[in-house]
Amino acid sequence: MAAAAAAASGVHSGKTYSFKVVLLGEGCVGKTSLVLRYCENKFNDKHITTLQASFLTKKLNITGKRVNLAIWDTAGQERFHALGPIYYRDSNGAILVYDVTDEDSFQKVKNWVKELRKMLGNEICLCIVGNKIDLDKDRHVSVEEAESYAESVGARHYHTSAKLNKGIEELFLDLCKRMMETAQAEERIKGNGSSQSASSRRGVQIVDDEPQATPAGGCCSSG
Amino acid sequence: MATADSGLKPLQNAMKMAKTAIQLDGENKHKEAYCEYLRTINYISHALLEEAASQIPAADSPVEQKSSSPTKTGHRRVLSDGGGELSPFLPPEVFQRLQTVASQDTSKKELTPIEEASRLNQKLKATYEARLARLTPGQAYQKTSLTLSLQRQMMENLIIAKARQDALQRKMEERRLRLQEEANRRFAASGAMTAEEQEQRVLYANVLEYEQDHDWPKQWKANMKKNPDITLVSDLVSYLLSRSDHPVVKLLRKHQYRIYNRLYPIVSKGLPQSPNMPLRPSRSIHNLLRPETQRKPISSFSTDSSLSPSHSHELNTNCDDEEAEEPQTQPTVDRENSFEDLEQFLTQLDWAPPHSGTDETGSDSEPTGDPSTQDESHVQELENKALKEHLKAIVKDIHIAIEQLLSLCLLSFECLNTASYKDLCLASIEEAFFPPLWSAIVTLFRKVHREREQAFETGMKLYRDASPRDVGVPSKLFPPDPIALQGSYPYESAVQELKLLVQDCCPQRKLECIVRTLRLICACAEEYRCLHEADSSPKTAAIGADDLLPILSFVALRCQCPQLVSECAALGEFIHEGYLIGEEGYCLTSMQSALAYVESLQTAGTHLPAHKLV
């Protein structure tokens, strides 16, 4: 029914985007709470996968396009960083979380930005996220500093509070839209014919398949 | 067909002889004709005997026959006088034969006209003998006439059969050409043809030919059309793979054999030097030998290495047997392919001139080094480089082989050519492709990653009795009181699961094993947390990567299996792109990360960085 409506309105293109997003941040900055908050669903409690908060998936519908999001949590501890590159290879987006009350965690974010840009170039969409804005009175990273830094490295900056569930939905929606734009631009460059095989290596999988029922309008369908 | 070809000459001779006899018979020279007939029969039976004698031993008792010529096939000793001990790697030709034997039972060959005729003649002869027995000694004339008429009938049967066979062959050839044209038309779109395209055309023509001779593909296609269903798809693919005469299966065997042939000279050359860790024996290959002894669960395989067939092989490195072993591997490469490979391999080893090492030391101003050890390490380095190159080439080869198999599968059954069916098809092909090869593949990976495995082992020994806390697991995620576990240790179920990984022979199944291990870790973590805080709200109950990796490292340490390093490296090469960003990809990446951490323990010294363990 929904599929028929979508097909009739011509919005549904039959394409599904698959995006990989890595979650980076020191321990204690609240990245687990952040991603759990995002994947919690009012209508469906069974949202946490069997791997709990380390690996989460979410299906979205953005302007008629279906998007499958795979969110990869990474360990914040230094001693697990040797294999960092294999975590974020083929990523379409990265969410770099710091604690606004912890200057040190912001420094760590800067290190990651450098490494990501070095390894993946400009094709990866970066989000720098100042979490715990509910503790604004203890803030140690100024809004201006963070935002101007983000701008200087071609990243977007967001403020969130996992505790108050603030800014998280916007963060992910915005990131998805940016990743779609990047993928579409890549498609245009490579031409439609070869886009499938050419882009699959980088994780943007554009699968042409039969249209199926998708909850119309909403970007929070369960998965 | 082959017997008809090789039997052509004796047959022609027999016909000539028979013709003479018939002529004599026509000229009423009965006695001479009779003698000539007898000579013909004698000749035919002699020719048949020779042919039978030359075929039977090759198929039935290779060991006995070949052991008489030890220079040429010395490696067979592994089978014949091993005293129950099996070498982990079978020589390629045995591998190939087992492949064929394992799959031959499914297809029954039809008789050629000549074979049919000889059966008929045997029946005639039996009737003749029965009649002859009933004759009284005085009926000599009837006897002669019976004999003559038998011989005439037998001859006629053979002549007719020969004519039929020729006609049939002509028809088959015509059909083959017609089907080849049909196949060519299908691929006609492209102008210039590459060798691969050419090959694919031939393969497709073979498929068409097969479909003319067999009804089942048509039936399955009709079924699929009527009732397209995912279970039907896997049934179809497994049925297809059980038909040993189908071109897809023939291609599968050809690729398996080719790749094994490339691997064999390298992997049979001495096993990885990880003294405490036996190579998991090739369950795959030995299963072909002993299909009835299926997988016995091995509960703790790190200690009871004496039970492993490969154990003796590892000990060989420091006992006299080694010399006896060396020449064995050399003659095995008498096959063209493997010989070429070996040659290539050796030239890669020899590639750099020996004096280049001294050049380097000169410029590097390191005159203190002992030249002999430097040469040794230099050779080692070159060997590693060559091994890596070889590994890369073989991995690429395997990918190409699987791709080709998949595309032939999809050409044979177009109904399978949808995204989801294709994945299923690929999974089935891999499940058939990898098992006989896996132990050889992983042995090559182990050779390449020997240093990493050694580092892992050192880390493993250093942290033999480590508690979860020692590797940074927060205390709320393991039981407070070790006695409460009753002889067990934290996360034991996950460790047991991970230990099963080396037993599977298919990458996809190994990947599933890793996913199960991580899920078990999450389940255990949940359980332990509940022990600490009885009234914990489920909201905070999810663990993230900050907790998962330390636990996974603990599990990897307890697993005590350095081979995991190579297994995971191999999985990284063979994981499907579709799984790369999914749960499987995440679990494999986490596993690799934990293994790398264990490898790093030896340099990290005695104490871990204690900061940020939360």
Side-chain angles (χ1 to χ4, degrees):
Chain A
M1 186 200 75
S9 65
V11 185
H12 204 292
S13 73
K15 280 183 178 174
T16 301
Y17 290 96
S18 289
F19 294 130
K20 172 178 165 182
V21 175
V22 277
L23 199 57
L24 299 160
E26 229 187 347
C28 283
V29 298
K31 56 190 161 81
T32 306
S33 318
L34 195 88
V35 74
L36 273 179
R37 206 34 130 169
Y38 176 61
C39 291
E40 259 173 22
N41 192 304
K42 291 178 207 114
F43 314 105
N44 186 359
D45 256 354
K46 264 269 157 246
H47 218 84
I48 293 165
T49 66
T50 41
L51 292 182
Q52 303 200 5
S54 18
F55 173 79
L56 290 160
T57 57
K58 181 135 176 155
K59 290 184 178 170
L60 305 163
N61 194 323
I62 298 170
T63 60
K65 302 262 189 347
R66 275 177 294 148
V67 176
N68 288 343
L69 215 53
I71 305 167
W72 289 43
D73 192 13
T74 64
Q77 300 95 319
E78 204 85 50
R79 62 209 155 96
F80 292 113
H81 289 175
L83 288 193
I86 67 164
Y87 269 100
Y88 46 70
R89 75 169 167 214
D90 297 336
S91 296
N92 306 93
I95 296 175
L96 303 118
V97 190
Y98 69 93
D99 177 349
V100 293
T101 68
D102 181 357
E103 168 74 42
D104 211 33
S105 68
F106 186 61
Q107 279 307 316
K108 289 273 157 55
V109 163
K110 287 182 175 174
N111 295 344
W112 267 304
V113 167
K114 254 183 242 152
E115 190 171 341
L116 286 171
R117 283 288 182 231
K118 195 174 82 193
M119 307 294 295
L120 297 173
N122 287 323
E123 280 181 279
I124 185 165
C125 302
L126 298 185
C127 302
I128 296 174
V129 179
N131 193 29
K132 303 195 186 176
I133 50 165
D134 47 296
L135 302 175
D136 202 49
K137 56 179 172 23
D138 297 322
R139 183 186 269 281
H140 278 95
V141 181
S142 81
V143 179
E144 299 75 42
E145 187 199 344
E147 284 181 344
S148 71
Y149 170 74
E151 211 189 319
S152 72
V153 293
R156 295 265 178 99
H157 190 273
Y158 305 85
H159 276 118
T160 59
S161 164
K163 193 174 175 191
L164 306 174
N165 196 4
K166 260 186 160 171
I168 298 170
E169 197 71 52
E170 293 86 333
L171 156 70
F172 279 95
L173 186 61
D174 203 37
L175 173 62
C176 283
K177 285 180 179 167
R178 282 164 61 204
M179 291 190 296
M180 282 167 73
E181 279 165 24
T182 309
Q184 282 159 356
E186 207 170 294
E187 256 175 87
R188 273 195 298 276
I189 292 165
K190 280 171 182 158
N192 280 329
S194 61
S195 69
Q196 233 168 316
S197 56
S199 56
S200 62
R201 194 57 248 174
R202 267 215 66 239
V204 192
Q205 281 156 357
I206 299 142
V207 187
D208 286 298
D209 52 9
E210 316 81 58
Q212 59 180 56
T214 25
C219 55
C220 301
S221 66
S222 65
Chain B
M1 211 101 306
T3 54
D5 277 339
S6 62
L8 208 62
K9 250 194 140 182
L11 185 67
Q12 276 169 343
N13 286 338
M15 305 267 268
K16 245 183 244 160
M17 289 167 80
K19 216 173 143 192
T20 328
I22 291 167
Q23 258 173 9
L24 289 169
D25 206 4
E27 290 160 21
N28 273 337
K29 295 177 183 165
H30 294 297
K31 204 172 166 193
E32 288 91 334
Y34 181 60
C35 290
E36 193 59 36
Y37 277 129
L38 287 180
R39 261 196 289 278
T40 315
I41 291 171
N42 187 36
Y43 175 80
I44 291 173
S45 62
H46 191 76
L48 287 174
L49 180 71
E50 242 174 23
E51 193 183 313
S54 69
Q55 276 181 353
I56 292 163
D60 286 354
S61 56
V63 177
E64 274 167 39
Q65 213 220 353
K66 305 280 178 152
S67 59
S68 58
S69 55
T71 44
K72 207 178 156 200
T73 51
H75 58 272
R76 283 179 202 282
R77 288 181 9 176
V78 179
L79 278 182
S80 53
D81 59 12
E85 290 272 26
L86 282 165
S87 142
F89 296 108
L90 299 169
E93 49 274 48
V94 178
F95 176 86
Q96 189 185 34
R97 198 169 303 135
L98 286 173
Q99 262 188 318
T100 338
V101 168
S103 57
Q104 220 161 39
D105 40 0
T106 49
S107 63
K108 231 181 173 176
K109 255 185 82 186
E110 251 177 69
L111 293 176
T112 66
I114 290 191
E115 284 167 333
E116 221 173 301
S118 84
R119 276 203 182 179
L120 196 66
N121 284 351
Q122 268 164 15
K123 266 189 214 155
L124 282 174
K125 213 173 151 210
T127 338
Y128 156 80
E129 272 158 8
R131 275 197 199 173
L132 214 60
R134 267 182 268 128
L135 291 175
T136 56
Q139 295 170 296
Y141 179 72
Q142 274 111 317
K143 199 176 155 189
T144 318
S145 122
L146 262 181
T147 311
L148 281 175
S149 83
L150 167 80
Q151 284 155 357
R152 220 171 319 182
Q153 257 178 319
M154 280 171 83
M155 212 54 209
E156 272 166 20
N157 280 342
L158 278 180
I159 290 167
I160 292 168
K162 174 77 175 75
R164 274 183 59 203
Q165 181 129 343
D166 287 348
L168 207 66
Q169 230 158 6
R170 242 193 337 270
K171 252 163 99 185
M172 294 283 275
E173 185 57 26
E174 277 166 19
R175 190 180 74 166
R176 204 187 57 73
L177 285 172
R178 188 161 44 78
L179 293 172
Q180 186 62 63
E181 265 169 39
E182 198 177 323
N184 289 350
R185 264 200 300 283
R186 205 193 142 131
F187 295 98
S190 60
M193 251 207 300
T194 63
E196 284 150 57
E197 281 166 340
Q198 185 96 46
E199 196 184 347
Q200 199 171 32
R201 276 183 200 203
V202 173
L203 287 171
Y204 185 60
N206 290 346
V207 170
L208 289 177
E209 196 170 352
Y210 181 88
E211 284 176 5
Q212 298 237 318
D213 293 333
H214 298 82
D215 269 340
W216 68 264
K218 254 169 267 151
Q219 283 160 10
W220 276 96
K221 281 175 189 171
N223 282 347
M224 283 286 296
K225 211 170 197 175
K226 234 188 303 170
N227 178 28
D229 180 45
I230 204 104
T231 57
L232 203 60
V233 172
S234 46
D235 285 351
L236 164 59
V237 180
S238 59
Y239 187 79
L240 166 66
L241 293 171
S242 75
R243 305 284 96 187
S244 64
D245 49 347
H246 194 279
V248 169
V249 181
K250 285 185 179 167
L251 184 67
L252 171 81
R253 282 208 303 267
K254 192 184 112 192
H255 281 314
Q256 281 178 325
Y257 173 64
R258 200 171 44 82
I259 285 162
Y260 188 78
N261 217 357
R262 290 193 68 178
L263 283 165
Y264 182 72
I266 317 169
V267 297
S268 59
K269 246 182 128 189
L271 290 166
Q273 289 162 354
S274 181
N276 138 20
M277 242 2 89
L279 167 81
R280 280 300 96 206
S282 43
R283 148 187 327 290
S284 42
I285 294 167
H286 292 147
N287 265 2
L288 286 172
L289 273 176
R290 301 168 291 181
E292 66 284 357
T293 55
Q294 277 307 327
R295 40 181 62 197
K296 291 178 233 145
I298 302 167
S299 49
S300 62
F301 46 77
S302 55
T303 47
D304 59 353
S305 51
S306 58
L307 294 175
S308 148
S310 62
H311 184 60
S312 63
H313 229 271
E314 297 206 73
L315 291 181
N316 277 348
T317 42
N318 35 356
C319 76
D320 304 344
D321 275 10
E322 200 188 7
E323 278 139 42
E325 282 246 309
E326 268 310 302
Q328 279 183 22
T329 53
Q330 299 297 337
T332 56
V333 282
D334 50 355
R335 244 153 234 290
E336 272 184 326
N337 293 356
S338 52
F339 201 155
E340 266 168 27
D341 278 347
L342 183 75
E343 230 169 20
Q344 198 189 351
F345 180 62
L346 289 175
T347 47
Q348 276 168 349
L349 282 179
D350 298 339
W351 166 68
H355 52 82
S356 74
T358 50
D359 285 357
E360 264 171 42
T361 49
S363 59
D364 281 1
S365 67
E366 272 180 310
T368 44
D370 173 13
S372 69
T373 54
Q374 262 181 6
D375 267 3
E376 212 168 278
S377 72
H378 190 66
V379 166
Q380 184 81 34
E381 203 179 292
L382 283 175
E383 191 176 327
N384 284 345
K385 203 176 150 199
L387 275 175
K388 267 182 201 150
E389 289 294 309
H390 224 94
L391 180 103
K392 236 165 80 185
I394 284 175
V395 165
K396 196 177 157 202
D397 228 30
I398 291 173
H399 281 300
I400 290 170
I402 289 173
E403 196 110 303
Q404 208 183 22
L405 281 166
L406 180 64
S407 73
L408 188 63
C409 216
L410 299 181
L411 268 177
S412 309
F413 293 92
E414 270 175 90
C415 48
L416 296 176
N417 206 349
T418 73
S420 56
Y421 291 176
K422 214 159 131 179
D423 284 348
L424 253 175
C425 205
L426 185 60
S428 300
I429 289 173
E430 288 190 350
E431 211 153 306
F433 183 85
F434 278 110
L437 296 173
W438 190 264
S439 59
I441 294 172
V442 88
T443 302
L444 178 57
F445 272 88
R446 295 195 73 180
K447 278 171 169 270
V448 170
H449 296 290
R450 197 179 54 216
E451 276 173 32
R452 285 189 55 200
E453 284 198 17
Q454 277 165 349
F456 184 95
E457 210 172 320
T458 314
M460 196 180 85
K461 280 179 182 152
L462 269 171
Y463 280 71
R464 175 156 302 193
D465 304 312
S467 82
R469 190 195 313 276
D470 297 330
V471 287
V473 180
S475 58
K476 62 174 191 219
L477 291 179
F478 58 93
D481 182 9
I483 302 151
L485 285 165
Q486 290 171 338
S488 160
Y489 53 86
Y491 297 100
E492 191 181 3
S493 59
V495 174
Q496 294 303 342
E497 178 66 44
L498 188 57
K499 280 183 174 180
L500 298 175
L501 180 127
V502 288
Q503 292 181 32
D504 277 312
C505 287
C506 179
Q508 189 54 35
R509 293 190 182 275
K510 286 172 187 283
L511 219 47
E512 283 161 16
C513 176
I514 295 180
V515 172
R516 280 195 301 273
T517 302
L518 268 80
R519 287 179 175 178
L520 277 168
I521 286 176
C522 290
C524 286
E526 183 106 49
E527 195 184 303
Y528 298 148
R529 196 200 336 254
C530 288
L531 290 176
H532 284 276
E533 26 186 322
D535 57 334
S536 73
S537 59
K539 218 189 95 206
T540 57
I543 64 166
D546 289 344
D547 296 326
L548 183 69
L549 274 159
I551 302 173
L552 192 55
S553 306
F554 173 74
V555 169
L557 275 170
R558 285 291 171 123
C559 195
Q560 307 225 312
C561 181
Q563 189 179 331
L564 277 178
V565 172
S566 303
E567 293 273 355
C568 285
L571 289 183
E573 296 288 349
F574 298 120
I575 183 174
H576 298 174
E577 252 160 43
Y579 290 126
L580 218 50
I581 73 166
E583 191 177 14
E584 292 87 354
Y586 183 78
C587 290
L588 179 61
T589 305
S590 301
M591 193 73 229
Q592 286 173 317
S593 203
L595 294 174
Y597 168 67
V598 174
E599 287 165 44
S600 74
L601 287 176
Q602 59 165 2
T603 50
T606 47
H607 247 280
L608 288 160
H611 67 96
K612 303 290 181 196
L613 290 188
V614 193

